[in-house]
Amino acid sequence: MSQSYHDPLDPAIKPKDFVLKFARDNWESHEMRIEEETTRKVKNSAHCIQLIEPNDIGKAPNRTFIRTLAEDDSSEDCDTSGDDSATNAQLRRIDERQRNRRRDRSANILARRQRRRAARVAEITAKIAEEGEEYGNVPRKDFIIVEYMENGDFANLLMKLTECNNYSKIPNRVLWAFWLCLVRACVAMEYPPRKHHSARKRPIIPENAVPEGQAKANRMLRELKRLGIPVYNQVDYETRAQQHDQVKGDLIEDIPQGLKAVRRQNLVHFDIDPQNILVSGFELDPTGLEQWDSLRQQEAARAPPNKPLKPLSSTGKRWDRINGEHELVPKLKLADFGLAEKIKRQKRNVYYFNRRFKGKHGYYAPEQFGPEWEGIPNTRDGDELADSSIAGFYGPHTNIWGIALTMWMLITRFKPPIPPQPQIPPDTDTSNWNFDDVNSIRSNIRLMGFAQPISYCPLLRDDRVDDYNWADQTLRQTIYECMYHRPKDRPTLDVLLQQAKQKVTQEFPGETDQVVRAWIHKWFYNPPDPGAPQSPRTFPPELQHIEDHFTDLTEARRYFDAKRNSDHEIRLHWRLEFDKTFIYGFQLIQNNAAGFQCGIQALVDSLVDFLRRKNPLVAPPSAQDLETRAQAMQDRGDFDLLPPGPDPTQMENNILFKLSAVVYDWGQQHGLNLRLGYRPRDRRPMYESNLAKDPVQMVWIWSDNAIDLTQAAQNVYSGIHATDPANPDEGRFDDDGNLPDYVNS
């Protein structure tokens, strides 16, 4: 919920927008308390979302949060000042002591630990009871207030780019500026600037201190030193005070030098995705603001009178940034630290296993989904994961994976492949590989992984795909390396930060300041209307091949609009049809085929269940039957109007259209009027048009976006079986259409 605060004591102060966040079902929320506590760990970071204290907007401060002990971790988080330091050798000795203590399972040691934990639990329980009595046992209201980001999130940008113009190329200067922001956000989680920034504290003049200039004029330096009276430099003090005041609450993230660099926080976000990357404003001096105003005046003159431009927000330039860091491209901020956690060393297996499924399905890092988990014994108190270098080894490299995957989505406009697809390393001799056997390919890649790094970054370094050559090769290579399977193979934050600082100032052909400024303004402040035609053609190009399926273009356009708008009345009707078919839930029938063959097998699996329920006298077809039928339809020219070429953005449409035509053709032969429906991951059900006229019977399959090892881009399809009413909980999916845990695993 977004709100605006007006200072009642000073109406001249500009209203401050903010976001109020609370649980949907109850005022008391342990998760909300954890998110508030974790967000404070990145307080004052320029590229992380910031909390707004209730008293800053005229509200009473919330009650103190007393954290209870976790079931899998009895130790407490400690928050150092940042002024302490330790050497790598000292940390190794600490690790060794912790490892020895963890492996000591003698009865006396275990009993002592249990007594210590019981005493700590009793202490926390007493504090909670005391706090309850203090507030009259009134339930606590859990909420957090965070700053409002007027330009939305990355997911919104992706949606606009995809819906309005699939082929809009992002300037490389914009991509590198975005990448620098994301790297800095990762640095904030590892080295929070509230602990390490040189201007994090305002300088304080010691009591009874004498200005250095006055001491020198009176020749008192030696005497003051003898008496222990401090001397300070007035110019230096004023300079540091001004620096602190300028960046207060907005500190840039950098990696500290020397021994302080060892004091890592090891905060892992676990939920980095486009929805949690927000777009803020600019940092402009008067000249930069004047240049933006000039552009906006030109755009306002061309804009329709009923479509005013969004206001442009900015702060002044900051002295601790590199030159021009946020003058052309707005600042990004990482948000939603509800799942973030400081990962500790030398814990039991259960500690690392309980964090394996943190995050959203499809965004897991190899530390969470890797096959190395298969070799971990099912022992709750074991130490195998504490010593692992992949499975359960969460850290800054996990955050690096997350920002790389987000940038991959921004460049390719694809969702993350499910399951993640290991890529054949460049320059690999594949002359003896069997590309007809996907399992054989994966086996070969896994064997290669022992000798060289294996990445899960498809398309960007594939010689067979040139759709993304417009993106800087260095950036594509960096993203590729950040998605390596082994954490130790990924670039470090130090390397990434230095590289991004250099590349963000590089000039690229045709990308002048005016070009970059115009692109940013178009997509953040004056985006085209979704669904607006991008060419003079009146019929959507991706639907030209189905024109004969509709009586007029109006009907075709309603279908086209429904596929784009999840709230369209037709789309809601499709969902109703899907829910009526699978009233008790459903199960997925997965197969190992690829591309169109995968869709054919999914269609066969769905037809088996459909005919069992609706027409038990009709025998279901085999995959070979439908493939033969599809080839015959191809030979007679039924698919000639499909969009030509290997363009990956059209591949899903082509496959689904073919499947829809095949199921219609097979149904007509058997006296059935069939239409294909499909359920995309994380989206509402849709149907694919064909020649079937109402009334029709729907055959549903599941569609998951993925990347195939032998093609530029493909889709993974699964058959859908209705759940038996006698066992209604089996196969139930959640409201968002996500797979249940047993399917994910």
Side-chain angles (χ1 to χ4, degrees):
M1 176 191 297
S2 60
Q3 296 285 336
S4 182
Y5 170 68
H6 300 259
D7 192 331
L9 300 180
D10 191 351
I13 295 180
K14 184 179 178 181
K16 178 189 295 185
D17 293 325
F18 62 87
V19 174
L20 178 64
K21 189 173 181 180
F22 51 87
R24 289 185 295 181
D25 52 355
N26 199 328
W27 267 114
E28 289 192 86
S29 171
H30 182 75
E31 292 75 16
M32 196 62 59
R33 301 175 192 180
I34 295 296
E35 181 173 353
E36 178 184 1
E37 183 181 78
T38 311
T39 307
R40 292 190 186 280
K41 296 184 184 298
V42 291
K43 183 178 180 180
N44 298 336
S45 299
H47 293 89
C48 294
I49 199 73
Q50 295 299 299
L51 293 174
I52 296 177
E53 300 300 336
N55 56 322
D56 290 341
I57 57 172
K59 302 296 182 182
N62 212 336
R63 288 152 58 177
T64 304
F65 169 41
I66 303 175
R67 179 192 280 267
T68 57
L69 290 183
E71 290 294 329
D72 56 11
D73 180 23
S74 60
S75 61
E76 299 181 66
D77 285 339
C78 58
D79 201 7
T80 62
S81 65
D83 294 324
D84 49 1
S85 60
T87 64
N88 281 309
Q90 288 172 331
L91 290 181
R92 283 195 298 269
R93 287 196 293 272
I94 293 173
D95 273 355
E96 187 61 31
R97 288 197 299 270
Q98 291 176 337
R99 185 179 297 110
N100 292 337
R101 286 198 298 266
R102 173 168 46 81
R103 292 173 176 171
D104 187 350
R105 299 297 179 194
S106 64
N108 290 337
I109 293 295
L110 291 177
R112 186 187 309 164
R113 292 175 183 171
Q114 291 173 356
R115 289 194 300 269
R116 189 162 57 240
R117 180 180 177 85
R120 182 68 183 132
V121 169
E123 180 184 351
I124 293 175
T125 303
K127 284 184 177 180
I128 294 176
E130 181 181 343
E131 192 239 15
E133 292 178 0
E134 180 181 351
Y135 289 92
N137 293 317
V138 176
R140 171 188 167 109
K141 292 184 177 181
D142 294 307
F143 62 88
I144 60 174
I145 306 170
V146 297
E147 52 188 340
Y148 173 72
M149 298 290 103
E150 66 278 3
N151 288 319
D153 55 32
F154 250 33
N156 187 44
L157 173 62
L158 277 169
M159 180 190 69
K160 289 187 289 189
L161 289 171
T162 303
E163 291 189 348
C164 298
N165 190 342
N166 279 321
Y167 305 102
S168 176
K169 297 177 182 179
I170 306 174
N172 283 292
R173 293 176 66 183
V174 174
L175 289 176
W176 275 111
F178 285 164
W179 180 246
L180 176 59
C181 289
L182 297 179
V183 172
R184 287 200 185 276
C186 291
V187 172
M189 290 185 282
E190 191 72 352
Y191 303 102
R194 67 186 176 89
K195 294 184 179 183
H196 299 286
H197 196 282
S198 60
R200 65 187 184 276
K201 298 178 181 178
R202 200 176 199 280
I204 300 176
I205 300 176
E207 187 177 359
N208 300 324
V210 177
E212 184 181 35
Q214 179 182 344
K216 286 182 177 180
N218 296 316
R219 299 182 178 180
M220 298 170 55
L221 281 176
R222 183 176 299 179
E223 183 65 17
L224 291 173
K225 182 178 180 180
R226 186 183 68 81
L227 295 174
I229 298 176
V231 177
Y232 70 96
N233 186 299
Q234 183 70 25
V235 175
D236 178 67
Y237 165 78
E238 292 177 354
T239 300
R240 291 191 292 121
Q242 290 174 358
Q243 290 179 343
H244 167 81
D245 294 342
Q246 187 190 70
V247 299
K248 181 181 179 182
D250 191 28
L251 306 176
I252 201 65
E253 304 89 350
D254 260 313
I255 296 177
Q257 302 300 314
L259 296 179
K260 287 187 178 182
V262 181
R263 304 299 301 188
R264 295 185 288 268
Q265 185 168 241
N266 210 35
L267 180 66
V268 181
H269 191 279
F270 283 116
D271 199 18
I272 297 178
D273 73 347
Q275 292 180 334
N276 292 331
I277 296 173
L278 307 183
V279 185
S280 182
F282 300 89
E283 296 173 354
L284 303 173
D285 59 11
T287 301
L289 190 58
E290 181 180 340
Q291 292 170 339
W292 270 106
D293 286 341
S294 175
L295 171 67
R296 289 172 61 79
Q297 289 173 7
Q298 299 173 14
E299 294 294 332
R302 291 195 291 262
N306 60 345
K307 187 181 179 182
L309 300 180
K310 285 175 55 179
L312 183 145
S313 66
S314 68
T315 62
K317 290 190 68 172
R318 310 300 200 205
W319 64 268
D320 57 348
R321 277 60 158 168
I322 61 177
N323 187 36
E325 186 165 344
H326 295 303
E327 293 182 8
L328 297 177
V329 181
K331 181 166 54 180
L332 303 183
K333 291 203 173 194
L334 184 62
D336 198 348
F337 287 82
L339 297 180
E341 186 174 359
K342 288 177 66 174
I343 299 300
K344 302 175 184 178
R345 298 185 176 103
Q346 304 304 324
K347 292 296 178 181
R348 298 175 295 163
N349 283 351
V350 65
Y351 175 85
Y352 301 101
F353 182 82
N354 285 346
R355 287 142 185 84
R356 182 182 181 187
F357 298 105
K358 272 194 167 189
K360 297 183 179 72
H361 179 60
Y363 294 87
Y364 296 137
E367 299 89 289
Q368 296 170 289
F369 68 73
E372 291 77 13
W373 282 95
E374 299 173 6
I376 302 299
N378 188 22
T379 53
R380 179 183 178 88
D381 295 330
D383 54 20
E384 291 81 7
L385 288 174
D387 297 329
S388 170
S389 61
I390 300 180
F393 183 48
Y394 315 120
H397 40 265
T398 310
N399 297 326
I400 289 172
W401 165 279
I403 63 172
L405 181 58
T406 300
M407 288 294 293
W408 179 87
M409 294 175 63
L410 182 64
I411 294 174
T412 66
R413 320 289 161 80
F414 280 110
K415 288 186 176 182
I418 296 181
Q421 300 296 314
Q423 300 300 296
I424 303 173
D427 305 323
T428 299
D429 182 9
T430 59
S431 56
N432 297 325
W433 288 35
N434 179 14
F435 281 93
D436 294 328
D437 186 353
V438 174
N439 291 329
S440 173
I441 296 175
R442 291 175 178 167
S443 177
N444 288 336
I445 292 177
R446 180 175 292 189
L447 290 174
M448 293 175 62
F450 293 104
Q452 58 182 304
I454 297 297
S455 177
Y456 293 92
C457 175
L459 300 176
L460 297 189
R461 287 208 59 196
D462 194 331
D463 294 335
R464 299 164 296 181
V465 180
D466 58 5
D467 299 273
Y468 311 106
N469 289 351
W470 53 268
D472 184 36
Q473 182 178 1
T474 303
L475 180 59
R476 287 184 284 133
Q477 175 66 26
T478 298
I479 296 172
Y480 184 90
E481 294 174 357
C482 289
M483 296 180 69
Y484 278 148
H485 178 77
R486 293 182 301 217
K488 70 175 184 179
D489 294 328
R490 299 172 205 161
T492 63
L493 284 175
D494 196 1
V495 171
L496 293 175
L497 184 59
Q498 293 304 318
Q499 178 196 58
K501 284 181 177 180
Q502 295 173 1
K503 297 292 290 188
V504 80
T505 59
Q506 179 177 325
E507 298 292 333
F508 291 89
E511 296 185 9
T512 62
D513 289 357
Q514 293 80 0
V515 169
V516 173
R517 199 177 284 114
W519 191 94
I520 291 293
H521 190 272
K522 173 182 178 180
W523 292 105
F524 288 106
Y525 295 94
N526 189 29
D529 293 328
Q534 299 298 313
S535 66
R537 291 177 293 189
T538 59
F539 201 76
E542 56 265 52
L543 295 179
Q544 288 179 343
H545 59 285
I546 63 171
E547 185 171 358
D548 292 338
H549 299 177
F550 299 95
T551 56
D552 54 38
L553 289 183
T554 301
E555 183 184 357
R557 285 201 172 278
R558 291 185 74 239
Y559 168 83
F560 177 67
D561 292 340
K563 292 195 73 172
R564 290 183 165 221
N565 182 5
S566 61
D567 294 324
H568 196 283
E569 58 179 346
I570 298 179
R571 191 77 165 271
L572 298 177
H573 171 72
W574 299 345
R575 177 167 187 174
L576 177 62
E577 289 295 318
F578 183 91
D579 291 342
K580 286 167 55 179
T581 304
F582 304 102
I583 190 170
Y584 294 101
F586 57 91
Q587 295 174 295
L588 298 189
I589 310 301
Q590 298 173 327
N591 65 81
N592 294 324
F596 181 68
Q597 287 72 28
C598 179
I600 286 289
Q601 185 60 56
L603 193 55
V604 170
D605 293 333
S606 291
L607 280 170
V608 169
D609 180 70
F610 170 84
L611 295 173
R612 175 183 61 82
R613 293 182 288 107
K614 301 291 186 180
N615 301 88
L617 297 181
V618 178
S622 67
Q624 184 61 44
D625 293 338
L626 295 187
E627 288 183 16
T628 302
R629 185 177 298 273
Q631 185 60 50
M633 297 173 70
Q634 178 80 40
D635 294 340
R636 69 174 183 247
D638 288 3
F639 306 142
D640 288 349
L641 290 178
L642 287 175
D647 183 1
T649 62
Q650 299 291 354
M651 193 165 294
E652 178 182 14
N653 291 337
N654 291 0
I655 292 177
L656 290 171
F657 175 78
K658 289 182 179 180
L659 294 176
S660 178
V662 168
V663 73
Y664 169 79
D665 191 78
W666 181 87
Q668 291 297 303
Q669 181 181 351
H670 294 82
L672 302 172
N673 198 30
L674 302 181
R675 177 175 288 164
L676 177 69
Y678 61 101
R679 175 72 181 269
R681 173 168 52 92
D682 298 333
R683 293 162 64 190
R684 290 178 173 174
M686 303 185 189
Y687 81 85
E688 189 66 20
S689 65
N690 59 20
L691 296 175
K693 302 301 181 183
D694 292 331
V696 298
Q697 292 177 297
M698 300 296 298
V699 179
W700 296 93
I701 64 173
W702 183 273
S703 173
D704 242 355
N705 187 27
I707 303 300
D708 186 77
L709 292 170
T710 60
Q711 302 288 338
Q714 283 287 10
N715 271 31
V716 175
Y717 302 92
S718 302
I720 302 181
H721 280 197
T723 299
D724 187 349
N727 189 13
D729 290 332
E730 182 181 359
R732 174 72 68 180
F733 278 44
D734 63 27
D735 293 337
D736 294 327
N738 294 320
L739 295 169
D741 290 340
Y742 74 89
V743 177
N744 292 340
S745 58

